Amino acid sequence: MAVPLWLRAAALIATSVALLPLIYLIIRLAQFPLPDFLDTVFSARSARLAYTSLTLTGTVTVACLVLGVGLAFLVTRTQLPGRLILGVAAALPLAVPSYVAAFGWQSMNALINPGTSFEGFLAAAIVITSVTYPYIYLPVVAALVSVDPAQEEAARALGRGPVDTFFHVTVRQAAPAITAGTLLCAIYVIADFGAVSILRVDTFTRAVFTSFSMGFDRLGGVALSSVLLVFTLCLLILEGRVRRTGTRYSTLSGEGRARPARFSMGRWGLPILALAWAPVLTALAVPLSALLVWSLRGVSRPGSLAEIGSALLSSLWAAGLAALATTAIAIPLALWLARRPSRLARLLERTAYLAHSLPGVVIGLSVVMLGIAVLPALYQSMWMLTLAYCALMLPLALGPVLASALSAPPELEEAAQSLGSSPGMGYLRVTLPLMLPGILSGALLVLLTTIKELPATLMLRPTGFDTLATRLWTYTGGESYAAAAPFAALLVLLAAVPAWMMISRLLKEVR
């Protein structure tokens, strides 16, 4: 079915607006004198930042790989008692934003060891690992559950033992999910700002924000942002290559295929179960216990409830605008991709995912420069903040909206047109109602993700506009843990909604 010209134009204009920050960043990179730019990028400070950023990314990624794959194996392929409970609990740290986890660990340290500090490289590695390993754990669980048991049975029939079969047959089939989850974890660590800033680890994201907040060193910020852009591009290219070249395995079983074999741990069952629960309980108990203790103290402060309510309303207002704008932008692009995707449509989709993968500080810095140089009347307004959110969140809305557009039969649009409706009215009366569940899901996901967004909000919020995340940031900077805790607790509760949506799907697969 041909895509109307007006729909392609709407998709192109709307998506270009969302990608404006990325486009403007590239323009500003081209405007700086090359010698000054190279001096900044290849300076000793940039080398230290690169070493710290890459070392932290490598350390956390390896730790998450061990935790994620190990827990996924224990949940899906063993007969451990209570493995379903372990499976749910292992995914729950996904609901804790990294900067909330950093606040929780730091404030717990203040309760247990007053006068000491919990910060530095090791602290950041522990905290980020504790909330990042689900990015590997969840896809590996899904992959291990979907592995065809008939291929494992065939391997055992040919003389391979259970362990040999698992590593040479099962793991190979799950390798694309393991690789994709590992690269996603690396992208997350490279982009992290809140945890490394609270724990005082000098990475590129913290340096970009510092160059903005301390006198606004535009050259330094843009140059360092370009390095982050290159790192992210390399990871995305690697992820795309892995996805394209990953081996595909056919299914030998029919629809009523048998369940995969599960290993018995024997006398090692209880020690292994205790070992599996240790990192999960640590990741959950430390920050949540600290939030509970400090929240009880924080809500007793005079005026605290009014302050919390005001920040919550501001968060919902900003996130609601982001959800409406981002979903409106996603709809025409999703329809274009669903009906007849062209190279231009695919390019817009991939560029949107690139912008989403960039650290929030990079998008925030780009929008700040855009506001100062091109749109000064809109600088530090909700318009610019919403623009940054659209650039960061577009793929979150595009995924569910595109899925619903693909499930809406184009024949219904043709039938509406044959009955006298214009193409536009056909989309409005027939297609959009069918897409409504996906549109609402995308808008909800954008809403809940925007609420916990920190760096771009810090850089672009209007004067006097405070969200839950910025209030937490302000109080944590002054070590006012009791004042910060209620904001952190609300952020965890709100972030738990999309996390539970993923966990509920996991439960259906593991049973």
Side-chain angles (χ1 to χ4, degrees), residues 104-126:
W105 282 76
Q106 199 172 69
S107 59
M108 178 60 78
N109 180 77
L111 289 171
I112 299 174
N113 299 307
T116 64
S117 61
F118 180 81
E119 59 186 44
F121 183 91
L122 181 60
I126 292 172

Side-chain angles (χ1 to χ4, degrees), residues 196-218:
V196 296
S197 297
I198 290 174
L199 299 173
R200 294 179 172 84
V201 180
D202 282 327
T203 61
F204 275 111
T205 50
R206 189 183 184 209
V208 170
F209 184 80
T210 302
S211 69
F212 159 76
S213 57
M214 303 295 290
F216 194 51
D217 176 14
R218 286 186 295 174

